[in-house]
Amino acid sequence: NADLRHVDVVLCADPKVFLHTDALQGLKKGGAFVWESNEENPADAWNYIPVKYRHEIIEKDIKVYILNGFKIAKAATEREELQTRMQGNAFLGAFFRVSSFLKDYNIPKKEFEETIHAQYVKKFGRFGDDVVNSNMTVMKAGFDDVKEVPIGKLDAPDASNFVGNVISPCGIDIIAPPRDKEGKSPIHTLSAFDAEFRAGYGYNQPASPLASVGYIASGTGDTASKYVARRAIPMFIEENCTQCMECISACPDTAMPNTAQDISQILTTAFKYYVSDGFARNALLEHLDDLDKKLRADMYAYATDKELKKNPDDRVKFKNILRKHLEDLKSDVIDDKAINQVLSIVETLPLAYMSARGIFAGKEKKEAGDGGIFSIFINDKCKGCGECVDVCGDHEALVMIVEDEDWHARVKSSEGFFKLLPETPKKYLGIYNPDDPYEAKAAALKNHLMQQSKYNALVSGDGACAGCGEKTILHAVASVTEAVMRPLFFAKAERLTEKVAQLKRTGLMKLEALKANDLDAYNVFTRTVLHIIMGYGAENAKATEKRIADGFDGGDAEIIDGLVAVLSQEAYNHKELQTLEGHMPNGMSAMAMTANTGCNTVYGSTPPNNPHPYPWMNSLFQDGTTIGWIVGESFIRDHAAHAVIPERLVDTLLGEFEKGFDEDDYFYYTHFSDKFMTDKEVLELPKVWAIGGDGGIGDIGFQNLSKVVLQNRPNVKVLMLDTQVYSNTGGQNSDSSVMTGGFDMNQIGPATEGKMTEKKSVAEIMMSGHGSPYVAQVSAASIGVLFRALIDGLHYRGTAYYQAFTTCQPEHGVPDDASEAQAIRVRDSRGMPEFVFDPGKGETFPEALYIKGNPNYQNDWYTKRSKGTKERFTYTVAHWALTEARFRRHHKKVSADKVEGKQELLSVLQNVTMQDIVHHRYLDKNHRSYIPDWEVYLVDHTDDGQVNHHLLSRQMVIFCVERRKAWRMLQSKAGIENKDYLAQKEYLKGLDA
Ligand code: SF4
Ligand code: SF4
Ligand code: SF4
């Protein structure tokens, strides 16, 4: 209802609307409120209205209605992406039933239905009668099924929070208290932000400095709940989980924090925090070792029982094993109440050991007592996209279930328990060494997400669409940067702390010794410290000396104190600083992000839920990359002044001026830049990620990108989230859009068949004529390759540019759970091949460019084996296009007999080259490259075993030719000889002779 203040009818498709907004705002006296609800009895719906809104309903004489619109929509279509639209149709019907519109204009029901039908024909008629009729059925069901909710009692039970019984830890506060609060100006505190943006002001939001400059507190999304946004949530089937980490790296909403813990840790946490009686608690803790051994013995027996593993039963669940052994401990002290308290919290926990061999049985076999438990704590930030279930696939360890109030209570209970657990111990990270991620193999890199400090590098809780492919990539960028940088920061903090201690012990003595032995060196050294570290610098040495003489009245002790202060502060910043209130101190941010306007800035900057826990800023439209460069330069400058130069001066002092210190050194340090930094000093620089969509980076921001990449700055990394379309503004073509076009805002018809310009490949452009950047075109299709490329780019002493295909669910027309599947399809079809260009590997393209991650990398196309039919077939971009609704106007499914006499796609492609397209010979009926419209077909094998025939638009065939040419170009740069291309050339030579 937004700005409107005198609304007759509010249609509300959100059953949990009162949890996050005032749904009655703007509704006029006597108005109607139609509310999505699955209550059979309308009177029961009253209990879900919060008491304060019950008052308002009575006072304003509002009529409340309920409608199970989602049930109606589900019955009409199985296609999830259409169900929301259908739900809207049902509400449309309800509107005409509850409003006075038909009565006011004296419209009989028959005429009303005929009018609506005519509108549906106009809008959907081209899709056929079935589509029109189905919309009509849904609309009529909405009209017929809407029911009025009788006014209930003000003090009727209040179930409006939609939560069952949450089990909470007893008597502890698990939120880290704010540190250094006194040192912050009030505007920089979370409480100032919350008082403005989380105080329920709604329409009456105050105009304050925060609002006027678009300032939003960091990481606030962490405490957001997406309960209101989801209908279903994954249920973890613990006995099937192998700890493959696929779901965890794919989840776009950081809703799958996970850990492996010792069994004793799980038990200790349950006993300490969930058993209310102190005697029972202590008695249980006394039995811990014994219990641990007994549990392990049973668990190992189950986990290694081959027959049971094939078909596990309830016995194997951790909670049931625990129940059995706790019963044996029952006594006057460990009574039923204590046992039930333990079991009721354990009941909510996702505890996997049976199939998680790397965590339990494998370790236990090597050393008894070493195995642990793996858990995925699906939390309240889940938007219910189902992506995790899709990628889990045959493991069958996740399944979507409708989340009722009891299940939500379970989610909240386990979330509380998780917060009490420590960081995942190193021994469970396998061959991934968190202290040196650079050395890890690509396949092991997923395990960095088992560490909460890395997993939470992006906190989500934002308003991106469910399943948005951009978020998975953003999470990867933030978590890998954190994984690379945090150990460097901690090591640096320790190194500096050690030097501070040495400086305090011997610094003064060494400085005095220098004064006694070499007065010139002493004078230059102290001037250097005072100039750079202590703020007495002027435009030249003489002026600096004057400023020092006029303003500095300290001596050697103060010089040493200055060095101690700057290094101590730097050490503190790198390890102890608390950047986020409510989170444990973990040191300063390792990265910043600057963004071009696009979807990422909309969901990334809309109060109150900010997904970014590091400094983040948006610069309108095209400037994000340039702003990133500026931020990167400021990091270099600060890093030089606060860390590199002071540390080097301290090293010189502690090393007793082995190489002396003269005016050249003064000049060197006062003109210091990153070019004088060692590789290690550069690596320790905080990184800046400039991000944007294909429009922001590749179109209007292209000049910015080109300029920035050419600078090759060591700490500036750029990421394009390539949805191939302007997602945020509703689906216009970008230069990255593929050749069919035909998205929501394209014209397509007999005269205009689609987008005739070829796809612009910014990643390929950056490989050439842009100096020496590291370039990678990677995606969620291969998460190990993505992580590896991110690590290598962060280590590269120059700019790195990444282009990642990301699904946009509404604009691509794909289901919420399809992000990874579509990334695989676009890669495998040559729609967007995967490649890495590492200039460190050599000075020719074949040395620097790696494309072998693509299937059949030596051929035109991938020969794919169908999961369903088990047959092999050639997989082209046209096959990928069949799986996304954005291409729907370019193919038609037909029965096999309808393709008789038509031409098969591959044989047509054999006759056409890209030059035939450029010269428009494909339109010449007499030329060998003639492409008839809708006379070419392909055969597709679906995953569920169907063999389908599709007729293709001419534009779709052209799209295949264009992508094939782009792929051949890429192959040739990588030094790959494509025999299919050579064969085609020979064949055409014969035809053209
Ligand atoms: S359903 Fe989606 S948001 Fe929820 S846990 Fe799975 S992948 Fe994450
Ligand atoms: S739930 Fe499935 S995808 Fe996730 S770690 Fe377990 S087996 Fe892998
Ligand atoms: S519109 Fe597309 S890109 Fe934007 S948030 Fe939704 S899915 Fe993501």
Side-chain angles (χ1 to χ4, degrees), residues 68-80 82-87 89-90 130-139 141:
N68 198 338
F70 191 66
K71 188 173 162 195
I72 297 170
K74 244 183 136 179
T77 175
E78 284 179 359
R79 285 174 58 190
E80 283 180 28
L82 288 184
Q83 284 170 356
T84 311
R85 282 188 197 181
M86 282 298 193
Q87 189 189 12
N89 258 338
D130 285 354
V131 175
V132 171
N133 292 339
S134 148
N135 277 281
M136 200 61 203
T137 306
V138 167
M139 194 282 297

Side-chain angles (χ1 to χ4, degrees), residues 605-666:
S605 64
T606 314
N609 296 328
N610 177 1
H612 306 289
Y614 35 74
W616 179 96
M617 74 176 286
N618 168 32
S619 180
L620 261 188
F621 303 115
Q622 75 275 25
D623 297 333
T625 322
T626 312
I627 302 294
W629 173 20
I630 295 167
V631 172
E633 292 294 352
S634 74
F635 285 169
I636 291 172
R637 196 246 156 235
D638 281 359
H639 182 62
H642 299 154
V644 178
I645 298 176
E647 189 180 3
R648 288 204 195 178
L649 291 174
V650 168
D651 288 345
T652 306
L653 177 69
L654 295 176
E656 299 181 19
F657 297 91
E658 209 182 356
K659 294 183 188 150
F661 203 91
D662 58 23
E663 292 296 343
D664 285 349
D665 293 309
Y666 176 67

